[in-house]
Amino acid sequence: MKNAIVVGATGGTGAAITEELVKRGVRTVAFGRSAKKLEQLCANLSRPDCLTVAEGDAFRPEEIAAAAEGADILFHCANVPYHEMVSRLIPLGESVMEAADRLSLKVVAIDGIYPYGRRRMVRATEEHPKQPHTRKGQIRLAYEKMLFDDRWSRARIMIVRLPDYYGPTANEASYLGSTLEAIAAGKTAFFIGNMRVPREFVYLPDAAFMIAELASRDDAYGENWHIPGAGLISGREIVRIARQAGGSAKPVIPLGKVGLSLLGMGLPVMKEVVEMLYLTEEPLVLSGDKYARRIGPAPATSFEEGISITVRALQHRNGRGLSDCN
């Protein structure tokens, strides 16, 4: 892997993957909609000499293809707002695949666990049945079928599936991102879902390392891969660690169906979260056996370390200005 493009580079997973690629010396194009966010990403990275940025619209395959010229691998990290998933997710994926097919690229698509549906405390392998019972799970399953469709005869695709995630680059698009940002800022925070039931979370720098390892293996394409977390942890324990790291004692308010529905009156995305609350009550855990068997040991930063690093990074970032990226 010598040249790559990250589509959706300013999102949580996209930024973490971009950073991992730059650390490895991979010449990387960060592709995104916002010039300001791309500049911020560039400023946050330690080695911008092998990084270029390209502002563009991921719904326009010609813009992706122009930015991806010369790349070997395309990391598809772009996403759509929760409340637009049903109508816009597949068109987004088709645009990315059209560009990749045009250039005969390898594609690493980032996805989650929604297609598996309701499975109480299951440790799911990549062969686990996909039986979604929600609209979002059903559209995600249709999205997978589209990515692996025979019409993309020149592109080669893999899907990597992450559980809920956290890390310095995670933003409000992740369940935990806004919670940790508020705690880091010393503000009252919200926690989506049940705070008592332990769930799986992956630290984004760990996930980015595993994804980069998979991307560099030619025999990994054409398959689904799980990116496991470091174990299970409850919301209460997450909050304890985050408060200790950030020096905050402000309350953290759990949001269930009623609270999210009320917030959804003004913020449509919050109303859409209600459908997926079952995952906070009936966690599904991803098996990392396939990764360990074919790639090697999965990195597993402890929650104590990862959450502390995340909170302190958020505090540092919010307390300094942007520097220029040269």
Side-chain angles (χ1 to χ4, degrees), residues 53-88:
V53 299
E55 183 182 359
D57 184 351
F59 283 92
R60 296 181 177 274
E62 66 276 9
E63 295 186 12
I64 298 173
E69 195 68 45
D72 310 308
I73 299 175
L74 184 154
F75 293 85
H76 175 22
C77 306
N79 214 330
V80 295
Y82 235 40
H83 60 291
E84 297 178 359
M85 187 182 297
V86 171
S87 62
R88 301 189 74 200

Side-chain angles (χ1 to χ4, degrees), residues 153-165:
S153 58
R154 292 181 293 275
R156 297 180 62 199
I157 176 80
M158 78 167 76
I159 296 177
V160 294
R161 298 196 179 280
L162 280 63
D164 285 343
Y165 58 79

